[in-house]
Amino acid sequence: MRVGDIAVGRSGDKGDILDLSLVAVDEKSFERLERFMTAERAEQALGLAMPAQVTRYVVPGLLALKFVIPGALPGGVHASLHAGMHWQKSAIHILLDLDMDE
């Protein structure tokens, strides 16, 4: 099972900060997602595309996990060296594609 089988993703930016959110489809999925998707796991997965220090925030009322990555978009989204002006929209798929059956 992939993360994307039990959650949807959103991404955004503010300056050089990348913001990724995963929202579970229901309570049971949120509990599983919260156990599996640690800041360390996100940092490891995103590290394949960019070095990153990830901070995770739990938003239980929304069944969501929020991952904030300062410095991921050096100079902001328009100046970042990552391919494409909206690379952050692809970054969420790194998390959504993670296999939870490890």
Side-chain angles (χ1 to χ4, degrees):
M1 172 185 299
R2 294 173 34 257
V3 170
D5 294 333
I6 65 167
V8 296
R10 293 267 310 161
S11 65
D13 62 90
K14 190 57 105 177
D16 71 344
I17 299 170
L18 179 60
D19 181 312
L20 304 174
S21 298
L22 296 172
V23 182
V25 297
D26 57 34
E27 286 277 347
K28 183 178 177 184
S29 297
F30 177 69
E31 291 169 9
R32 183 169 186 189
L33 186 65
E34 186 178 16
R35 282 191 307 273
F36 175 80
M37 201 70 243
T38 63
E40 294 77 20
R41 192 177 305 269
E43 193 169 299
Q44 181 181 24
L46 293 168
L48 298 173
M50 65 182 167
Q53 181 177 352
V54 176
T55 302
R56 182 184 89 159
Y57 298 93
V58 180
V59 189
L62 298 178
L63 303 179
L65 300 175
K66 182 178 190 77
F67 300 90
V68 178
I69 306 103
L73 304 167
V77 69
H78 298 289
S80 175
L81 295 178
H82 288 294
M85 216 164 72
H86 297 290
W87 179 87
Q88 76 277 21
K89 302 299 183 203
S90 299
I92 190 64
H93 291 283
I94 293 172
L95 302 185
L96 290 169
D97 287 339
L98 287 175
D99 184 2
M100 296 181 72
D101 296 325
E102 298 178 345

